[in-house]
Amino acid sequence: MRRTAWVRAAAATGVVAALISTSACTAESGDASEVDIEAQSVGAMEDFAADEQFKATEPIDVSMLWTDWPEVPVTDDWEIFDVIEERTGVTIDLTHIPFSDATEKRSLLISAGDSPTVIPLVYTGEEAPFVSSGAVLPISDYVEYMPNFQKYVEEWDLGDMIDRLKQADGKYYMVPGLQEVSVPVFSLVIRKDVFDEVGAPAPETWEDLRTGLELIKAKYPDSQPLADGFEGQSMLNYAAHAFGTQAGWGFGDGTIWNEEKGELEYAGASEGYRDMVEFFHGLVEDGLLDTESFTASDAGGGAANVAEKMANNQVFAASGSNGTVNEFATALDATAGAGNYELVQIAPPGGEAGMIVEPRNFWNGFMLSADIAESPNFLATLQFLDWLYYNPEAREMLRWGVEGETYEKDADGTITLKPEFSLDDFNINRGAPTDIKTDLGWSNDVLAGSTESRSLKESYNAPQFVEYIDTVLSTRTPRDPSPPAPLDEAELEQASLMSTPLSDAVRTATLQFILGDRDLAEWDAYVAELEAAGMQNYVELVDGARERFAEQNG
């Protein structure tokens, strides 16, 4: 029987306290030299290899942190854990944390030394606060025992990206979800039928988009035809690359590589950033951008409000993902009627920097608590996780369930969900009595989607999204990422104190400039404010770490 535990942390305790506590932990439990692979191989397979089924030689338990989405609670009827146990001999014991403050709860658990063994839903960079304390395992010391991970890193040409995971000590402390193809999740979703109606082609550049919006505004004068719904953070994220900068959700640590100067600079003070701000301010000035959608958060109903405006012919292009297309379609069905509109997610428009999109990305992966270094099941746990996260059959199972039971697979690899099952998240067999996600646990947000081949990604997405993937891959170039600049413990603390006020100032001023609450003539004054807040010292700190890492790693 799977055991679960609920985490109830004091609401008044914050992330800062968690990180301070983490820094106080000792590093001895995470010392790689303490692991004796031969002695700690209870339950492990002797000849475990890539693309083979993992089966523990004796039953083992693996504890895992589990984030609960309020609309998808884990139930006793979820078959996913029973099937995993049947196939692998591994019982997964869950420790639950709520989605609403999952990052904070996770930090508190790690800092207190109470974290389960497996810490999933970790994105690159989120492991950094826990490295110097030894709270998490330097997993790079042990990837030789993860044949599936190694195979697909090589086959999908991800080696250079993996090297960028290294911290200041030359090791990495999380393994990411691997994607055979990487395209921006969020881009523009347009009413293509309306663009066609006014004689505007699907935009290839941001200037093309402006032209189309002007024509739509002339046809629908009461509209503000472009919207975001995520406080501007989504649209600025994918737009920034076309202007040669980074912004919004993708602002990161604020530094960006300047190829001409051969050094890092602060993105929020760059010429490309100013050009981007001026472009969007111009849209606001001409009534082409829904300003409310740049201030209302998704949690505050921003995205839902955009869907409503889309349905009422007030918005005709908006930020969204493949899932957003379904949300817009549901809203439009109620007003325009099914079949009376055409929604298309287009590749992020290009701009002065070229037809550029975000760098190729990983998806979420996992960390391991340093306590696993003392486990007699150390090797078996690594083998199990290598199978669970990187084996193609395991990945297909996590998405679709059990072949022959919940889905069928043709000789050419086409997957079809059986008619008595649905996957409402992707608008598959809506109305069927059993949803494989909410009722059975398949396609859950913790495990499914982390590592995916292109064929698996396409198997559950609509044909329009497959076309979107093709378009991005054939017409857009991923921007080269900035060189790695891992910070040591003292630098990490220093950078945290410096970066937060800087990024807060950038976000505030960005919206003020775009919405017209601050005159663009004050740009130089804004840059001076960043300089007064320590921008140059911060950039020098990060760039110094880059130089040191480059010297140490050739």
Side-chain angles (χ1 to χ4, degrees):
M1 179 66 67
R2 188 173 75 259
R3 298 184 294 279
T4 64
W6 287 91
V7 176
R8 297 180 175 87
T13 308
V15 174
V16 172
L19 297 184
I20 292 172
S21 178
T22 300
S23 298
C25 294
T26 63
E28 60 184 9
S29 64
D31 187 344
S33 65
E34 293 184 5
V35 176
D36 183 337
I37 292 293
E38 186 174 348
Q40 295 175 247
S41 60
V42 176
M45 293 175 62
E46 186 173 348
D47 297 313
F48 181 58
D51 299 335
E52 292 186 2
Q53 174 66 50
F54 169 79
K55 180 72 172 182
T57 57
E58 61 180 72
I60 65 171
D61 290 353
V62 173
S63 59
M64 179 180 290
L65 195 62
W66 191 272
T67 300
D68 282 307
W69 272 254
E71 64 273 19
V72 192
V74 177
T75 72
D76 291 338
D77 296 329
W78 273 20
E79 73 174 14
I80 179 174
F81 300 108
D82 295 330
V83 172
I84 289 174
E85 185 172 357
E86 290 170 6
R87 294 190 180 187
T88 67
V90 176
T91 300
I92 299 179
D93 300 331
L94 304 182
T95 294
H96 295 263
I97 54 175
F99 173 77
S100 58
D101 56 356
T103 302
E104 178 182 341
K105 293 290 195 296
R106 180 177 70 190
S107 296
L108 291 170
L109 282 169
I110 296 172
S111 68
D114 293 332
S115 169
T117 297
V118 186
I119 307 164
L121 283 179
V122 178
Y123 291 87
T124 55
E126 292 183 340
E127 76 280 18
F130 311 110
V131 168
S132 60
S133 66
V136 293
L137 188 81
I139 199 164
S140 58
D141 287 347
Y142 307 104
V143 292
E144 64 181 291
Y145 304 108
M146 300 176 64
N148 289 288
F149 173 75
Q150 290 181 304
K151 175 179 178 178
Y152 291 101
V153 165
E154 181 178 355
E155 284 195 7
W156 296 346
D157 194 23
L158 301 172
D160 289 343
M161 291 172 62
I162 292 294
D163 285 342
R164 293 177 183 275
L165 299 176
K166 292 177 180 177
Q167 299 296 316
D169 60 2
K171 301 181 180 184
Y172 51 91
Y173 291 75
M174 64 87 71
V175 282
L178 308 179
Q179 300 286 304
E180 183 177 10
V181 295
S182 175
V183 296
V185 175
F186 277 76
S187 180
L188 274 177
V189 178
I190 68 168
R191 280 281 304 271
K192 187 174 183 301
D193 58 304
V194 176
F195 275 75
D196 290 343
E197 177 189 358
V198 301
E204 287 289 325
T205 68
W206 286 99
E207 286 299 332
D208 290 345
L209 176 66
R210 168 181 258 285
T211 300
L213 296 176
E214 289 170 347
L215 292 171
I216 291 172
K217 180 75 171 179
K219 175 76 175 180
Y220 298 88
D222 294 333
S223 70
Q224 290 180 309
L226 178 65
D228 182 56
F230 305 92
E231 299 177 282
Q233 298 302 291
S234 172
M235 188 169 292
L236 295 181
N237 173 38
Y238 57 80
H241 305 291
F243 292 89
T245 189
Q246 58 196 34
W249 286 338
F251 191 66
D253 69 0
T255 64
I256 189 169
W257 182 245
N258 186 315
E259 186 68 37
E260 291 183 5
K261 295 181 179 179
E263 63 185 19
L264 294 172
E265 64 180 9
Y266 199 65
S270 67
E271 284 303 307
Y273 201 94
R274 177 174 181 164
D275 291 344
M276 177 193 71
V277 167
E278 287 181 339
F279 175 82
F280 282 98
H281 171 73
L283 296 181
V284 170
E285 210 169 31
D286 292 345
L288 302 176
L289 177 63
D290 179 17
T291 56
E292 183 183 14
S293 74
F294 261 56
T295 56
S297 68
D298 186 24
N305 192 30
V306 170
E308 182 179 343
K309 290 178 178 180
M310 181 82 75
N312 292 316
N313 285 345
Q314 295 170 301
V315 164
F316 300 93
S319 288
S321 63
N322 183 43
T324 313
V325 174
N326 293 333
E327 295 169 12
F328 288 169
T330 299
L332 281 162
D333 283 347
T335 55
N340 294 322
Y341 59 85
E342 183 180 2
L343 287 171
V344 177
Q345 183 178 8
I346 65 170
E352 58 192 47
M355 308 303 283
I356 305 296
V357 294
E358 66 189 34
R360 190 177 180 187
N361 285 329
F362 290 124
W363 203 229
N364 62 75
F366 65 90
M367 299 184 291
L368 292 176
S369 168
D371 290 343
I372 192 178
E374 302 171 358
S375 170
N377 305 126
F378 180 88
L379 182 57
T381 302
L382 279 186
Q383 292 178 347
F384 166 68
L385 293 171
D386 181 58
W387 173 83
L388 187 71
Y389 270 81
Y390 304 108
N391 176 282
E393 291 185 2
R395 301 312 304 170
E396 183 177 304
M397 174 195 73
L398 291 172
R399 175 60 69 188
W400 288 106
V402 179
E403 184 176 1
E405 179 185 313
T406 57
Y407 73 97
E408 302 289 354
K409 189 173 182 180
D410 294 344
D412 65 358
T414 301
I415 290 174
T416 305
L417 198 62
K418 298 183 77 171
E420 61 267 36
F421 297 99
S422 69
L423 182 52
D424 286 355
D425 271 7
F426 295 95
N427 205 26
I428 300 172
N429 293 355
R430 279 189 177 273
T434 302
D435 187 296
I436 63 169
K437 177 178 180 178
T438 58
D439 297 324
L440 304 178
W442 308 113
S443 275
N444 68 73
D445 296 303
V446 175
L447 294 176
S450 176
T451 290
E452 288 186 324
S453 64
R454 178 170 182 171
S455 61
L456 181 58
K457 185 185 295 291
E458 293 180 351
S459 70
Y460 60 90
N461 279 300
Q464 295 91 332
F465 186 73
V466 175
E467 183 178 343
Y468 168 73
I469 294 174
D470 289 336
T471 301
V472 172
L473 294 178
S474 62
T475 66
R476 301 294 187 267
T477 302
R479 198 191 82 217
D480 290 334
S482 294
L487 304 171
D488 63 28
E489 182 178 5
E491 291 168 339
L492 189 63
E493 183 176 352
Q494 191 178 358
S496 178
L497 294 173
M498 299 169 75
S499 66
T500 301
L502 285 169
S503 61
D504 287 347
V506 170
R507 179 168 179 173
T508 298
T510 299
L511 288 178
Q512 288 174 336
F513 284 133
I514 289 174
L515 300 179
D517 297 330
R518 186 171 183 178
D519 197 313
L520 280 165
E522 296 184 24
W523 179 266
D524 290 343
Y526 150 72
V527 173
E529 291 163 9
L530 295 180
E531 290 172 345
M535 177 179 69
Q536 193 56 39
N537 289 337
Y538 172 67
V539 172
E540 289 175 357
L541 174 71
V542 180
D543 204 41
R546 175 195 62 80
E547 291 179 343
R548 181 184 63 229
F549 187 81
E551 291 172 0
Q552 293 174 348
N553 292 271

